[in-house]
Amino acid sequence: MSRVTKLAAITATSAAAVALTATAASADSWTNGPFTAKANSNSLVVKVGGTTVATCSGSTLSGSMTNTGAFSVTGANATGCGVTVTPTGFPWSGSFTSGTTKINGFKMTALGCTYTGNLSGPYTGTAPPATVTFTNQPVTGSGLLCASNVTVSVTYVFTQP
């Protein structure tokens, strides 16, 4: 083999190895089974317009995950909010796909209003733990005298046992 042919063969082999490694690293490594997601401090922030109306000191999600990154939220809480915030309407569906996490069917009640929406935000990490950041996600309020222009922001760290 000539030096050029050897170099081309080594380069092709190296490129194939890098491609296989990149594919494996970019594929989510979830397992079928339970997950928990815990919010960081000042975890759940609710704003009306640009004004913060509630900052919860704790929030968690729980449910089940598939090995493809699809998940179902079957339990949630929000604590230390200054007002009672109650997650409802389970299950919420979700997915980790191409760097984006989505939660569909998000629903919480507070101050006599029900807020619903679909959350979407980027995640980092290709396997548990994965950090998901939802920033200023719009939710719709229903009920008497409920605020409009409401957004939710929260960062969760998803883990599996």
Side-chain angles (χ1 to χ4, degrees), residues 56-75:
C56 303
S57 60
S59 180
T60 59
L61 306 175
S62 60
S64 60
M65 180 78 63
T66 69
N67 62 358
T68 63
F71 61 90
S72 177
V73 177
T74 56

Side-chain angles (χ1 to χ4, degrees), residues 88-101:
T88 64
F90 299 110
W92 307 339
S93 63
S95 64
F96 286 88
T97 307
S98 302
T100 301
T101 301

Side-chain angles (χ1 to χ4, degrees), residues 72-120:
S72 177
V73 177
T74 56
N77 71 23
T79 58
C81 304
V83 298
T84 300
V85 176
T86 306
T88 64
F90 299 110
W92 307 339
S93 63
S95 64
F96 286 88
T97 307
S98 302
T100 301
T101 301
K102 294 181 180 180
I103 295 179
N104 300 313
F106 172 88
K107 187 175 185 179
M108 291 194 176
T109 61
L111 300 173
C113 298
T114 300
Y115 295 96
T116 59
N118 297 322
L119 310 181
S120 180

Side-chain angles (χ1 to χ4, degrees), residues 22 29 39 77 85 88 112 121 131 137 151:
S29 299
N77 71 23
V85 176
T88 64
T131 301
Q137 296 296 291
T151 61

